[in-house]
Amino acid sequence: MDDPLFDLGDPPAPPRAAAYRVLARKYRPQSFTQLIGQDAMVQTLGNAIRRDRLAHAFLLTGVRGVGKTSTARLIAKALNCVGPDGSGGPTIDPCGQCEPCRAIAEGRHIDVVEIDAASHNGVDDVREMTEAVRYAAVSARYKIYIIDEVHMMSKPAFNALLKTLEEPPSHVKFLLATTEVHKVPITVLSRCQRFDLRRIPAEKLAAHFDAVARAEGFEAEPEALALIARAAEGSARDGLSILDQAIAHAGIEGGGVQAQAVRAMLGLSDRGAVRDLLALLLAGDAGAALAALRRQYDLGIDPASVLRMLMETVHGITLAKVGAEVDMAQAAEEREALGEWARSLSFPVLHRLWQLLLRGYEETARAALPVEASEMALLRVIHAAQLPDPGELARRLREGEVAVAQPSGAPAPAPDVAATAALPDSLEAIRDLLAAHGRHALAEALRNHARIVRLAAPDLELSTARPIPSDFVRDLGEALRATTGTRWRVTTSDAPGAASLREAEANDNAAYEAWVREQPVVAAALAFPGAELLGPKTRGNMA
């Protein structure tokens, strides 16, 4: 119809549902009391505000998700809050109701400028900012610049910022945030008051996540929250993102946030299954251990994750053995199992398990065949779990407690040489005779240079295929006549001759060391990370 009397206009649009805000944004701290795990920094800032000793620049550093940007915004609110009645001053407890507090919280305050240094890192960006610094704040007490990820600024940009950062106008405050403080020039660090935000302890994260889950109308198992807190690695934002996903899963499956669902979601192995696997490793049951690993792999668990949880378990056993404070987030059966292992396993065994698992984890993480690499790592653990540590092994070898068979065809260790004949009948006997009469220099020269072609005392023929000292033959003949009372005929020829005593010893020691390395108990010890064979490497060391 074209009659304007019947023109009702466009149909009303359906109301638009508010966009969902993820938990990490919805539960961003709005006051310092909501900032968890940073009590020392809050106390310092509070004292500085109360005593009017505010720095002109602050540097906030720490790992991702511990509250650097949130803290910067809180500082901006604390400095610009005017209170509900508009007459307040800077305070560590901003009201959150006045216009400056609301505008800063919503990110729309004209005098609080947030700059992402990742995309505004050039000298032109800094020059634009330093030009604007000269002008007073429009409506706030302080004009505040929050520069996030400041370490990504270029060197010229840092240089352009230095003078302004050191002597800014009294109405300007700089708040710099970074996850990589080592990349910030020392000239910038020296101009800022630095706060190192700590990783948030797992128990505080778990309590925070429990409060968030309840606020969202979901129950959460304590073990599920503990798993999320561990996976967050001290980051509240990471943990809230995981919790968001877990709540979404619970909304579909029902029953609240359950540990089993979180474990499956994160690809983590069941801690009970990990304890069972460790028991199989310590018992040396290779077949059952590999089957248990394959079951975890078939469930979608990353092999590297299994090795990592084994490492966490060994670490927990070691802490229990030294009497460290009990982690109340652990299940009762886990604490009992760790305590039992702590009583039965020695420190050397625990240290060896840690080293072997760490090596296996590193190999698995970069392997083309992760599950195969993890299986080989577990087999290495099984092979070495019950062996003595390298120090104990060396002691047993030294004291003869470990029986070592001689290599096939090798001569027995040579006994001490005793002169049983009037004239020496071997090169070794000649050397020992000379040494016994104090002619050590000549005995050493004989060991290093003499290669026998023929010996039928008192005739001795030496090889000159390799050079020997020019006066060696004369001195040797005179020494033999003086020590034996018989005139010796020492001659030379260009025949190759036998190996010198020094060469023979080197060849024998090399063969002996290679054989020692092949012994099962030694080969197992050398599998330890950083292990090396210090002794015995020669037969003489076994005497």
Side-chain angles (χ1 to χ4, degrees):
M1 295 181 183
D2 295 332
D3 191 338
L5 294 177
F6 295 95
D7 186 4
L8 301 180
D10 296 330
R16 296 180 60 184
Y20 175 71
R21 297 179 67 198
V22 297
L23 297 182
R25 292 187 59 195
K26 185 176 180 180
Y27 293 93
R28 183 188 291 270
Q30 298 301 317
S31 67
F32 282 105
T33 57
Q34 297 176 2
L35 189 66
I36 59 176
Q38 313 299 340
D39 298 340
M41 181 197 67
V42 173
Q43 181 179 356
T44 302
L45 285 173
N47 292 338
I49 291 174
R50 283 188 289 270
R51 298 171 183 174
D52 194 21
R53 299 179 61 88
L54 286 168
H56 59 272
F58 298 89
L59 177 69
L60 307 172
T61 179
V63 299
R64 80 269 180 246
V66 293
K68 298 183 296 298
T69 306
S70 295
T71 300
R73 293 176 180 174
L74 290 176
I75 294 175
K77 290 169 63 175
L79 298 182
N80 286 321
C81 177
V82 296
D85 58 358
S87 60
T91 174
I92 194 64
D93 298 312
C95 67
Q97 302 174 16
C98 63
E99 175 57 24
C101 284
R102 293 200 309 270
I104 293 172
E106 295 169 5
R108 57 179 175 82
H109 200 295
I110 192 172
D111 291 320
V112 178
V113 182
E114 293 194 27
I115 300 173
D116 177 17
S119 55
H120 298 81
N121 55 10
V123 67
D124 291 336
D125 298 305
V126 173
R127 187 177 294 116
E128 181 181 344
M129 179 179 64
T130 55
E131 287 292 328
V133 162
R134 297 183 298 171
Y135 301 102
V138 175
S139 61
R141 186 178 296 113
Y142 292 102
K143 178 180 283 189
I144 294 177
Y145 288 90
I146 300 174
I147 307 179
D148 202 9
E149 299 301 337
V150 68
H151 66 273
M152 301 190 73
M153 291 177 61
S154 65
K155 185 175 180 180
F158 273 124
N159 292 334
L161 180 64
L162 287 179
K163 188 62 177 177
T164 303
L165 187 64
E166 183 175 20
E167 298 178 358
S170 60
H171 62 270
V172 174
K173 302 291 183 184
F174 286 97
L175 304 176
L176 315 181
T178 178
T179 54
E180 302 183 48
V181 69
H182 60 279
K183 293 184 179 180
V184 179
I186 188 64
T187 50
V188 173
L189 295 178
S190 65
R191 289 165 166 82
C192 300
Q193 190 172 100
R194 174 173 169 175
F195 291 101
D196 290 83
L197 277 66
R198 300 180 179 181
R199 290 180 184 270
I200 305 172
E203 59 273 13
K204 289 189 176 182
L205 282 178
H208 179 57
F209 298 157
D210 182 50
V212 170
R214 291 179 184 277
E216 292 293 308
F218 288 88
E219 293 292 330
E221 294 180 354
E223 186 179 355
L225 296 174
L227 288 172
I228 295 174
R230 290 193 188 100
E233 297 181 342
S235 169
R237 183 175 62 236
D238 288 7
L240 286 173
S241 298
I242 298 172
L243 179 62
D244 216 341
Q245 184 179 357
I247 290 177
H249 186 276
I252 297 174
E253 302 295 334
V257 179
Q258 299 179 352
Q260 183 178 0
V262 171
R263 190 176 292 111
M265 185 182 71
L266 296 176
L268 297 176
S269 179
D270 181 82
R271 301 192 73 84
V274 170
R275 293 195 299 272
D276 293 341
L277 177 56
L278 181 59
L280 293 172
L281 294 177
L282 294 173
D285 193 338
L290 294 184
L293 176 64
R294 281 287 177 174
R295 285 195 297 271
Q296 295 295 303
Y297 182 70
D298 292 340
L299 290 173
I301 309 301
D302 182 17
S305 175
V306 176
L307 290 174
R308 177 173 178 171
M309 294 193 70
L310 284 170
M311 291 168 59
E312 291 178 356
T313 304
V314 171
H315 179 252
I317 295 171
T318 308
L319 292 182
K321 191 169 184 67
V322 300
E325 185 177 353
V326 176
D327 183 2
M328 299 310 297
Q330 293 175 342
E333 59 271 18
E334 182 172 4
R335 292 199 299 270
E336 182 179 351
L338 296 184
E340 181 62 31
W341 273 322
R343 289 186 290 272
S344 61
L345 298 176
S346 66
F347 280 117
V349 170
L350 291 172
H351 295 328
R352 184 162 63 253
L353 282 171
W354 173 265
Q355 291 173 342
L356 292 170
L357 289 170
L358 177 60
R359 178 178 174 184
Y361 174 78
E362 292 172 346
E363 292 175 352
T364 301
R366 62 174 184 267
L369 302 172
V371 68
E372 287 79 2
S374 61
E375 287 178 339
M376 296 302 294
L378 294 187
L379 290 175
R380 186 162 61 233
V381 172
I382 290 172
H383 183 63
Q386 301 301 328
L387 291 176
D389 64 274
E392 177 68 11
L393 177 61
R395 184 192 67 78
R396 292 187 183 184
L397 288 171
R398 185 172 58 252
E399 297 179 1
E401 296 181 16
V402 178
V404 181
Q406 292 297 321
S408 176
D416 294 336
V417 177
T420 57
L423 297 178
D425 57 357
S426 66
L427 199 58
E428 293 89 342
I430 295 174
R431 179 200 58 189
D432 293 342
L433 178 64
L434 294 174
H437 285 78
R439 299 177 182 265
H440 299 290
L442 189 59
E444 186 64 18
L446 181 78
R447 173 180 175 271
N448 293 335
H449 303 294
R451 295 173 177 83
I452 291 182
V453 176
R454 183 178 63 87
L455 173 58
D459 292 335
L460 173 60
E461 183 178 354
L462 300 177
S463 171
T464 57
R466 297 186 63 180
I468 59 176
S470 58
D471 54 356
F472 174 72
V473 173
R474 183 197 64 205
D475 294 345
L476 180 59
E478 292 177 356
L480 288 174
R481 181 183 60 79
T483 55
T484 62
T486 303
R487 184 179 295 276
W488 283 68
R489 291 182 295 277
V490 181
T491 59
T492 60
S493 70
D494 57 1
S500 68
L501 291 178
R502 182 177 181 177
E503 293 169 338
E505 291 170 5
N507 293 337
D508 185 62
N509 289 339
Y512 185 71
E513 180 182 349
W515 173 80
V516 168
R517 288 177 177 273
E518 294 173 356
Q519 300 305 301
V521 66
V522 178
L526 292 176
F528 304 147
E532 58 179 312
L533 181 63
L534 299 178
K537 292 185 179 180
T538 67
R539 300 179 191 281
N541 290 342
M542 292 294 291

